[in-house]
Amino acid sequence: DKFNDKHGKFLVFFGTFVDTPKLGELRIREKTSVGVLNGIIRFVNRNSLDPVKDCLDHDSSLSPEDVTVVDIIGKDKTRNNSFYFPGFVDTHNHVSQYPNVGVFGNSTLLDWLEKYTFPIEAALANENIAREVYNKVISKTLSHGTTTVAYYNTIDLKSTKLLAQLSSLLGQRVLVGKVCMDTNGPEYYIEDTKTSFESTVKVVKYIRETICDPLVNPIVTPRFAPSCSRELMQQLSKLVKDENIHVQTHLSENKEEIQWVQDLFPECESYTDVYDKYGLLTEKTVLAHCIHLTDAEARVIKQRRCGISHCPISNSSLTSGECRVRWLLDQGIKVGLGTDVSAGHSCSILTTGRQAFAVSRHLAMRETDHAKLSVSECLFLATMGGAQVLRMDETLGTFDVGKQFDAQMIDTNAPGSNVDMFHWQLKEKDQMQEQEQEQGQDPYKNPPLLTNEDIIAKWFFNGDDRNTTKVWVAGQQVYQI
Ligand code: GUN
Ligand code: FE
């Protein structure tokens, strides 16, 4: 609404569309038109000659005035710098911790929570502080191309409602969670079991009945097993099943944490078994980290069809460990990326994807090359993988008919861009051949051309928010550089 209000209008986008329909597949469709009505992709036409005509062909009751051509990129002869890419999905972001980004010293998980994290979360009970932080994080993640986020707030009911309101206002697709913790917290930041459960119910009701925005949904958020009593987990489990709500929590992040969980829950076989026994593993459960899982735990996660949020920046920063993403994917477990702000020091899923790439290379140096994740696999985790984890893969993650138009326009040549490409790397093959005919063929004198895949890789490694020039959620433009 900030930029346009085109609901009910037929929108058509034209240009190069890049996405990852399957793990390892980079699909690049040039000179393509994509028609969108009420946020949903209605047609995808490859080798389009006229995007408006494509709309009229799609629906004969439309006239040209009914069609809004939103953007045409790459219609001229020169090779284009811009393409559409699906909006990124951040499956794990503690919005409330954002003021602490970059502030963690040499801490590891448990001392980091006490020293840095609980104090900042407690401070966000102040509504003015909270509003400022939420506005910053929502607009920042949008500017980095993140169209969908699963947010952890704090234990505070009022500010969690505010987070839902602001997300709706700014047009991001979100899952909003009030953190639940009724044990082992500091005395200034803890709730009793009853309050924790009841305020969760209130958040769910408020989001569904008062906010009432299809883009904003609740997610039940037991912080992690050490923070939750058995009673609380059982009550939350019943709520989740009765009301069909998402769940998010942390699992197997740090070795001391795992030992602590074994001590706290001697009746359980493993950390994973705690969540399983107390009913929190559903196909709409997002488990962050999952670094030190045993084979048996992975089998339970697969069986319960939970998704995993891989948070490589956080895992390296807090020296938690290296998640074996290939090992998870090989078992058919769903994996997406999480920034894990503020244990992760970036709001950007592109930066997080680069760290996923690096962590996989570190694993490969100890194991085999099989552990390596390719650029297109990291981009899959950043989009489709995240959509699968949130069980939104039927509606998000690629440019296909029936899906929501959640997209970012990438311009590798945007002002200030850090993605450097030379004009002679970008010539079309036919231009190159003409030149060869004129100048004679000498392969050593003609510089190598970049393929489309090379260009995507250059963006992956050197791109940032300066290259994300526009962002849409459900067909609505929510950001422009
Ligand atoms: N485990 C429990 N709470 C947290 C948190 O806030 N961040 C991370 N990374 N792990 C946790
Ligand atoms: Fe986290």
Side-chain angles (χ1 to χ4, degrees):
D1 286 351
K2 214 165 101 190
F3 295 94
N4 50 23
D5 185 9
K6 298 212 174 86
H7 254 64
K9 267 228 137 189
F10 210 99
L11 310 179
V12 65
F13 299 81
F14 179 92
T16 300
F17 288 79
V18 179
D19 60 5
T20 55
K22 290 203 200 93
L23 185 70
E25 181 187 345
L26 190 66
R27 178 168 64 174
I28 302 175
R29 291 174 291 183
E30 291 178 296
K31 298 183 175 63
T32 293
S33 68
V34 170
V36 175
L37 180 64
N38 293 330
I40 297 170
I41 298 175
R42 307 297 167 148
F43 69 77
V44 178
N45 260 13
R46 288 183 90 148
N47 300 314
S48 162
L49 295 172
D50 179 351
V52 175
K53 185 173 175 300
D54 293 342
C55 296
L56 307 187
D57 289 348
H58 166 78
D59 180 350
S60 56
S61 72
L62 289 171
S63 61
E65 306 83 72
D66 301 326
V67 175
T68 304
V69 181
V70 180
D71 268 296
I72 296 199
I73 54 181
K75 262 219 127 174
D76 54 353
K77 191 85 173 68
T78 58
R79 207 155 153 199
N80 201 260
N81 295 304
S82 294
F83 57 90
Y84 294 97
F85 196 77
F88 289 135
V89 178
D90 183 351
T91 56
H92 187 89
N93 182 323
H94 298 260
V95 51
S96 53
Q97 298 171 10
Y98 185 68
N100 270 355
V101 148
V103 182
F104 55 95
N106 277 334
S107 61
T108 52
L109 178 63
L110 300 179
D111 55 314
W112 170 79
L113 282 172
E114 264 184 46
K115 183 170 178 191
Y116 300 99
T117 305
F118 294 147
I120 190 67
E121 288 191 24
L124 259 75
N126 177 321
E127 205 176 317
N128 294 326
I129 293 182
R131 181 186 302 276
E132 203 182 337
V133 172
Y134 303 153
N135 274 323
K136 172 59 90 176
V137 174
I138 297 164
S139 40
K140 183 124 194 165
T141 49
L142 284 173
S143 74
H144 283 263
T146 301
T147 48
T148 301
V149 192
Y151 283 125
Y152 277 61
N153 185 36
T154 66
I155 63 174
D156 189 60
L157 168 63
K158 253 180 86 183
S159 64
T160 306
K161 290 179 173 178
L162 179 63
L163 174 59
Q165 267 175 40
L166 295 174
S167 305
S168 179
L169 210 64
L170 296 173
Q172 196 166 46
R173 191 183 297 280
V174 294
L175 293 164
V176 172
K178 186 212 84 78
V179 171
C180 293
M181 40 194 297
D182 70 339
T183 39
N184 293 315
E187 69 177 52
Y188 66 86
Y189 191 57
I190 193 160
E191 347 159 74
D192 59 53
T193 310
K194 189 162 177 286
T195 310
S196 185
F197 177 71
E198 284 175 359
S199 44
T200 298
V201 172
K202 284 179 189 157
V203 168
V204 171
K205 222 170 129 60
Y206 176 78
I207 289 176
R208 288 186 169 173
E209 291 168 21
T210 306
I211 300 277
C212 205
D213 175 347
L215 301 182
V216 180
N217 281 287
I219 183 163
V220 167
T221 307
R223 174 168 219 121
F224 68 156
S227 301
C228 299
S229 67
R230 292 165 180 78
E231 300 71 47
L232 179 58
M233 287 193 278
Q234 278 163 335
Q235 288 173 21
L236 293 175
S237 164
K238 184 165 186 313
L239 175 69
V240 160
K241 287 168 185 168
D242 290 348
E243 301 286 330
N244 186 26
I245 313 170
H246 282 83
V247 181
Q248 59 184 350
T249 191
H250 297 90
L251 174 61
S252 197
E253 178 176 3
N254 164 296
K255 291 203 170 138
E256 287 161 59
E257 171 210 26
I258 295 166
Q259 186 55 54
W260 193 21
V261 172
Q262 307 263 248
D263 297 344
L264 290 169
F265 298 90
E267 75 279 21
C268 296
E269 269 167 44
S270 64
Y271 194 166
T272 303
D273 189 42
V274 174
Y275 295 138
D276 198 32
K277 246 196 189 69
Y278 297 105
L280 291 169
L281 300 185
T282 77
E283 51 186 34
K284 287 170 84 173
T285 299
V286 184
L287 300 165
H289 308 298
C290 296
I291 298 170
H292 309 285
L293 297 180
T294 62
D295 291 353
E297 288 180 285
R299 277 196 296 275
V300 173
I301 289 168
K302 164 72 181 166
Q303 203 171 30
R304 300 279 180 254
R305 297 158 80 186
C306 307
I308 291 178
S309 176
H310 174 40
C311 305
I313 301 182
S314 162
N315 298 162
S316 299
S317 297
L318 296 184
T319 50
S320 303
E322 292 151 324
C323 177
R324 292 166 294 160
V325 173
R326 177 70 66 198
W327 176 75
L328 295 168
L329 292 170
D330 281 348
Q331 299 173 70
I333 295 173
K334 300 172 282 179
V335 184
L337 295 179
T339 55
D340 196 22
V341 160
S342 69
H345 50 70
S346 172
C347 259
S348 158
I349 283 291
L350 194 62
T351 306
T352 305
R354 289 198 280 268
Q355 185 70 9
F357 182 96
V359 164
S360 78
R361 304 288 147 148
H362 281 263
L363 285 168
M365 286 187 267
R366 287 205 306 276
E367 298 169 4
T368 68
D369 274 6
H370 184 60
K372 289 182 182 175
L373 297 173
S374 67
V375 168
S376 81
E377 287 175 326
C378 291
L379 289 172
F380 175 91
L381 298 180
T383 54
M384 261 309 270
Q388 289 175 343
V389 165
L390 301 180
R391 291 216 82 220
M392 295 178 177
D393 47 313
E394 302 271 302
T395 49
L396 301 179
T398 60
F399 298 113
D400 283 302
V401 172
K403 289 205 176 188
Q404 297 278 313
F405 190 79
D406 282 21
Q408 49 183 321
M409 189 193 282
I410 304 300
D411 181 357
T412 54
N413 198 31
S417 173
N418 190 44
V419 184
D420 290 319
M421 288 184 281
F422 296 92
H423 69 91
W424 38 264
Q425 292 183 293
L426 289 170
K427 278 191 175 145
E428 296 276 9
K429 276 227 173 63
D430 52 351
Q431 282 177 288
M432 205 63 172
Q433 275 157 5
E434 273 169 39
Q435 181 184 313
E436 278 170 7
Q437 272 160 11
E438 281 163 24
Q439 299 173 359
Q441 281 180 12
D442 185 346
Y444 299 103
K445 279 193 185 153
N446 290 324
L449 296 180
L450 293 174
T451 63
N452 284 336
E453 288 75 10
D454 295 335
I455 294 172
I456 306 297
K458 280 183 161 286
W459 166 61
F460 177 76
F461 288 112
N462 281 313
D464 55 40
D465 54 327
R466 288 171 292 194
N467 303 105
T468 295
T469 54
K470 286 182 185 176
V471 179
W472 295 265
V473 177
Q476 297 275 315
Q477 192 180 311
V478 290
Y479 172 77
Q480 176 161 21
I481 203 159

